[in-house]
Amino acid sequence: MQITTFAGIDIGSYEVGMKIFELSPRKGMKEIDYIRYNIELGKDTYASGKIGNELLEELCGVLLDFQRIMREYQVDAYRVCATSAIRETRDVLLILDKIRVRTGLEVEVLSNSEQRFLGYKSIASTEAAFQSMIQNSTAIVDVGGGSIQISLFDKDALVTTQNLRIGALRIRERLAEVESRTTHFASVLNEMIGNELRSFKRLYLKERKLENIILTGDYVSQFFRRHAREGLAAVLSREEFMELYQKATSLTSTQMAAHLGLPMEHVSLILPSLVLYHRFIEDTGAESIWLPGHNLSDGLAYDYGEKKKILKSPHNFENDIVEAAKNISKRYQSSKSHIAGTEYLALTIFDRMKGIHGMGKRERLLLQIAVILHDCGKYINMSRTAECSYSIIMATEIIGLSHREREIIANAVRFNTREFASFEEVTFASGLERLDYLLIAKISAILRVANAMDRSHKQKFKNVKVTLKEKERELVVLVDTVEDISLERGLFSDKAEFFETVFSIRPVIRQKKQL
């Protein structure tokens, strides 16, 4: 049986951790070691936007030790990822270069949406329990050092995900002075956190009744899991959670450190996390609390195993990205029928032209998201739809997409109705490269043609058949309709011209003869 040894390294806000796994098709994921080192990178970042040289040298030393351990385990593959502690620094590129020169490791800085998506994948690695739970109304509450992510699921679909900048380490640093002046620090924390959570509840929960909450985050999970029922994952009732919360908050820092077997510096991060969890559970009325005990390193391993087809998940993660986009579209009141029709046309064109456009499965997903979101700007300004759609996409987190991918989608949507700009104009003040520019052009060209075929938003075309005639350099769109399509024909030629410029294929509309 082929076994792959994989190491996932997580450079977090208050510690660097490495988990080593054995991955195999028959036995799945098996954790064989977990090494963690306390280093509060986030303390510098959140206070000054920089990481001091001393801390950076310490980090490089830890990563060199991790490399030695990986060699001892004869690791086949690894992935090193950094989150908000490095992402939010002013000199990210300099830090990454120093780490590369000192250790030889290429560190990948995850966007928040990528980080949370991988964390969510780590939860899904316990397949059966996760799949069963998200059939009903469920929230994943992921407390990190810099922020808290709340993702809502219902009927096996992602409803929404939102990031609140009230992580455990950020809260501790902001309230350090207050803590020394009060004996009711938990109440102060509760007051600060309450306002943020009330806003989330008003905007996204409304009358929704949550049945389950999945809690993730270091250290706090350890406390609750020690007292939870035996099983695949730790599960607590609402009453059990509240009882243990009262017990935890009654302990002194010294008592809690002894109880959990943690150093004192870690204990100061537990109370903010506890209050965050407690407040959310209290406000939502959830009856079942699940503590799977996984972190980003588990997600890195699961993601690797899935991509290499070592592991197979019954859950469709790509569909979660699509559902998140559809919920954004719904929030801005886009026409559901127009989006569905345009999506079908765009994806059909994409599939028929695989041998021409050179794009893959991921690019198909980006096209699909661009179609779903291309009209959301009408909610803001109907005369500047494309620009407003661009701004909405750039300002809205879409779980599972990187910042680069979101920027590609936003630009493709922006050029849906306006003249395509030069490489210099598109990439000015962005991290996009030439290949990204070409991808934007390809996605925008397909979006333009698909959108033009439903310009009236009446879905006139039924039973559309798309045929690629390479010899004639034509993409024939055969439509079955008895309606007048003069508007669509008239507006199609302009879109067809840009499509031909990009792909050297001329799209043409042909109407099926009616008997």
Side-chain angles (χ1 to χ4, degrees):
M1 179 178 65
Q2 181 66 39
I3 295 176
T4 301
T5 306
F6 177 86
I9 299 176
D10 171 17
I11 302 175
S13 299
Y14 45 83
E15 76 168 24
V16 184
M18 176 173 71
K19 284 189 178 183
I20 297 176
F21 300 88
E22 287 183 346
L23 309 176
S24 68
R26 190 160 65 87
K27 292 189 176 181
M29 261 174 65
K30 180 185 176 185
E31 182 185 320
I32 56 175
D33 204 351
Y34 184 16
I35 306 99
R36 56 207 301 187
Y37 181 88
N38 178 58
I39 175 170
E40 293 193 351
L41 300 174
K43 187 174 181 179
D44 276 12
T45 300
Y46 306 144
S48 64
K50 298 178 71 175
I51 295 176
N53 286 327
E54 192 175 324
L55 269 183
L56 195 54
E57 283 299 311
E58 188 178 356
L59 172 62
C60 290
V62 173
L63 293 175
L64 286 169
D65 284 341
F66 281 3
Q67 280 184 302
R68 175 182 54 77
I69 294 168
M70 285 194 287
R71 286 194 295 270
E72 291 171 358
Y73 274 103
Q74 298 182 332
V75 164
D76 299 301
Y78 66 88
R79 188 173 173 188
V80 188
C81 291
T83 54
S84 62
I86 288 182
R87 183 174 65 235
E88 294 184 23
T89 57
R90 293 198 295 266
D91 49 1
V92 177
L93 294 178
L94 289 175
I95 289 172
L96 298 182
D97 185 64
K98 286 178 184 177
I99 294 173
R100 182 185 59 80
V101 170
R102 285 274 283 108
T103 69
L105 294 172
E106 294 287 347
V107 177
E108 180 183 352
V109 179
L110 299 174
S111 67
N112 182 68
S113 58
E114 290 176 298
Q115 174 191 342
R116 305 305 179 163
F117 194 60
L118 286 166
Y120 153 46
K121 277 194 170 186
S122 76
I123 300 168
S125 64
T126 54
E127 296 169 355
F130 178 73
Q131 282 299 116
S132 172
M133 189 166 281
I134 63 172
Q135 296 302 319
N136 300 314
S137 187
T138 299
I140 299 177
V141 183
D142 180 6
V143 176
S147 63
I148 174 175
Q149 189 83 13
I150 304 173
S151 304
L152 302 180
F153 290 82
D154 201 6
K155 297 182 178 64
D156 195 26
L158 180 65
V159 176
T160 189
T161 182
Q162 295 295 322
N163 183 255
L164 311 178
R165 288 165 67 86
I166 48 172
L169 183 56
R170 199 186 297 271
I171 289 173
R172 190 195 72 181
E173 293 308 303
R174 284 173 65 182
L175 296 182
E177 195 174 317
V178 177
E179 184 177 11
S180 63
R181 298 201 307 261
T182 180
T183 57
H184 305 288
F185 187 52
S187 298
V188 176
L189 277 173
N190 198 42
E191 186 178 347
M192 176 186 175
I193 291 163
N195 183 54
E196 297 282 352
L197 293 183
R198 274 194 301 274
S199 298
F200 174 84
K201 185 179 179 182
R202 185 183 70 254
L203 291 170
Y204 301 103
L205 279 179
K206 296 180 181 176
E207 301 305 315
R208 186 185 299 273
K209 174 70 168 69
L210 286 181
E211 294 188 28
N212 311 300
I213 292 182
I214 301 172
L215 301 182
T216 63
D218 290 328
Y219 309 129
V220 177
S221 294
Q222 295 179 24
F223 179 86
F224 289 112
R225 284 174 66 84
R226 287 192 178 193
H227 302 275
R229 297 189 295 272
E230 292 297 320
L232 180 63
V235 179
L236 296 167
S237 68
R238 178 184 174 84
E239 291 73 24
E240 287 172 324
F241 178 91
M242 293 303 179
E243 184 181 333
L244 290 171
Y245 171 77
Q246 294 301 328
K247 180 178 179 179
T249 51
S250 68
L251 296 174
T252 65
S253 297
T254 304
Q255 289 171 329
M256 192 176 288
H259 182 75
L260 295 176
L262 293 173
M264 285 293 291
E265 57 265 28
H266 288 177
V267 172
S268 64
L269 296 168
I270 292 178
L271 186 57
S273 300
L274 275 174
V275 175
L276 278 164
Y277 289 143
H278 173 262
R279 186 61 190 257
F280 193 80
I281 291 166
E282 194 173 53
D283 285 356
T284 58
E287 293 297 329
S288 180
I289 295 94
W290 183 34
L291 300 118
H294 299 312
N295 62 19
L296 179 62
S297 294
D298 297 85
L300 295 174
Y302 192 81
D303 186 62
Y304 176 83
E306 188 185 36
K307 286 178 178 174
K308 295 295 182 180
K309 302 191 185 316
I310 301 169
L311 306 174
K312 189 175 181 181
S313 172
H315 186 74
N316 187 338
F317 292 103
E318 193 172 281
N319 188 58
D320 290 326
I321 301 172
V322 173
E323 286 300 316
K326 285 181 178 178
N327 278 294
I328 295 167
S329 177
K330 182 180 178 182
R331 189 189 314 160
Y332 291 101
Q333 299 179 20
S334 296
S335 168
K336 189 175 180 180
S337 55
H338 169 65
I339 295 298
T342 307
E343 181 182 355
Y344 170 76
L345 290 166
L347 296 182
T348 302
I349 292 169
F350 182 98
D351 293 340
R352 294 293 181 272
M353 291 186 58
K354 280 183 179 177
I356 302 294
H357 56 54
M359 294 184 282
K361 186 179 177 183
R362 189 68 178 182
E363 289 74 22
R364 187 181 190 272
L365 175 65
L366 299 186
L367 168 64
Q368 188 175 7
I369 304 302
V371 173
I372 292 168
L373 298 178
H374 81 275
D375 248 5
C376 60
K378 283 184 178 177
Y379 185 86
I380 308 297
N381 189 322
M382 292 186 68
S383 64
R384 300 183 66 246
T385 300
E387 290 296 334
C388 291
S389 295
Y390 171 87
S391 298
I392 287 170
I393 295 166
M394 289 304 296
T396 306
E397 186 174 82
I398 305 172
I399 194 165
L401 297 182
S402 67
H403 178 82
R404 168 190 157 270
E405 289 174 324
R406 196 150 42 91
E407 200 164 0
I408 287 169
I409 292 166
N411 276 290
V413 167
R414 182 162 56 139
F415 296 115
N416 172 42
T417 56
R418 56 171 282 189
E419 186 178 352
F420 199 74
S422 67
F423 170 73
E424 290 74 19
E425 287 179 83
V426 174
T427 59
F428 177 74
S430 79
L432 296 178
E433 299 176 352
R434 291 188 179 276
L435 289 177
D436 299 325
Y437 175 75
L438 294 174
L439 180 55
I440 291 167
K442 291 177 182 180
I443 292 175
S444 189
I446 296 174
L447 172 60
R448 287 182 182 201
V449 166
N451 190 39
M453 285 194 280
D454 189 30
R455 191 66 183 85
S456 65
H457 286 220
K458 292 182 178 179
Q459 294 78 56
K460 295 177 183 178
F461 298 165
K462 309 295 181 187
N463 304 318
V464 178
K465 185 179 179 183
V466 180
T467 306
L468 177 65
K469 295 186 175 182
E470 289 194 55
K471 190 175 288 186
E472 292 85 357
R473 308 303 292 173
E474 281 188 347
L475 183 76
V476 179
V477 182
L478 185 64
V479 299
D480 183 4
T481 183
V482 295
E483 296 193 52
D484 182 2
I485 59 170
S486 300
L487 174 64
E488 282 74 17
R489 283 188 185 279
L491 296 174
F492 190 76
S493 59
D494 179 51
K495 310 299 181 184
E497 188 177 327
F498 181 68
F499 189 96
E500 187 175 15
T501 300
V502 174
F503 298 114
S504 298
I505 297 286
R506 182 79 179 180
V508 294
I509 295 178
R510 289 187 183 153
Q511 191 169 359
K512 191 175 181 181
K513 291 181 181 179
Q514 304 297 318
L515 298 176

